[in-house]
Amino acid sequence: MTKTEIGGHTRLCGLIGNPVEHTVSPLIHNTLAGMLGHDLVYVPFHVEKDRIRDAVKGAYGLNILGLNVTVPYKSDVLGALAEIDPLAEKIGAVNTLVRREGGYKGYNTDISGLYRAMRIEGIKIEGEEIVLLGAGGAARAAAFLCGEKKAKRVYLLNRSPEKAGSLADEVNRAFDRECMEPMAVSDYEKLPCRPLLAIQGTSVGLHPNEEHAVIEDPEFYRRIHTAYDLIYNPEETKFMRLVREAGGRAFNGLKMLLYQGIAAYELWNEAQVPEEKIQEIYRLLQEKNR
Ligand code: ATR
């Protein structure tokens, strides 16, 4: 960017987290601002654990328009907000803060971004039978999305079954439906033999441990008609390769990353980003991801 263009009217958005040094969010937001002619700059801020409240308060005092929030503060930040979107409140995590009268309002665009990314690939959640792998931070967003969008049944598989159990209980309670069924990942053979949609939400297979998949048995992959891996680095995870080798369709998580950013940008600027601009940003992300 041309830093000399920053002036008295320039609005500031940013990212708070720890670490933030490898984020691609500035690429998304600064490119969008340039494309759409918005006088806006996006900067990452490395925030220490005991400074998170100060950071949010200080950002508000500095008239900062919006913030993204990343690991490990997506829940810690809740107490510093003036208002929380109902779905973000249910999941207990926000990744986007939008400036409002009296403070920031928190949203979770990881959830809405994942939904948009899946929809764009023609993947439906409503009424589907889904196998969700993992019960950590990333899988949690997918689990709440499945609850919100009324999946018919979600088999929630995790290495430690207690964590699958507590996440399943939380989602079932939050949406007042018994749609989540927790299981140990080692029990995958007990899954129904009907074709399933899979969402891969564990960290297994993430660069540099690319030679692993959370389930290695090719038999498992015969039941998967479509898979969405929340990992985007590498471009094709081993999980995705195993799905494809068994004849299913597989997508990586790059569009989830893209659309969580687009949704945040749209909230901050009260504008819709045109589809062709979204595609341009996607191509930039793909280049960066290679
Ligand atoms: P993230 O933010 O990427 O979700 P996380 O919150 O640490 O990271 O969660 C990692 C997920 O990957 C968890 O579901 C974890 O399973 P456990 O809850 O049993 O730890 C899963 N995971 C990590 N390494 C794994 C492995 N080698 N085999 C199976 N699951 C694994």
Side-chain angles (χ1 to χ4, degrees), residues 96-163:
T96 301
L97 311 188
V98 181
R99 186 178 192 83
R100 292 271 187 270
E101 193 68 38
Y104 288 107
K105 178 170 179 182
Y107 293 85
N108 192 310
T109 72
D110 289 329
I111 301 181
S112 54
L114 174 59
Y115 186 57
R116 219 160 137 181
M118 291 178 86
R119 283 239 320 260
I120 220 99
E121 308 294 7
I123 306 170
K124 196 165 123 270
I125 292 177
E126 295 83 350
E128 290 294 308
E129 281 201 289
I130 300 172
V131 50
L132 171 57
L133 294 148
R140 194 176 160 80
F144 275 80
L145 175 62
C146 291
E148 159 88 358
K149 296 297 172 191
K150 299 196 167 48
K152 181 175 169 193
R153 188 122 211 103
V154 181
Y155 303 95
L156 179 58
L157 275 59
N158 198 45
R159 175 177 58 182
S160 40
E162 326 72 70
K163 261 173 82 179

Side-chain angles (χ1 to χ4, degrees), residues 71 133-140 157-164 185 200-204 206 212-214 230:
V71 177
L133 294 148
R140 194 176 160 80
L157 275 59
N158 198 45
R159 175 177 58 182
S160 40
E162 326 72 70
K163 261 173 82 179
V185 82
Q200 201 302 108
T202 76
S203 49
V204 184
L206 184 65
H212 299 292
V214 62
L230 304 187

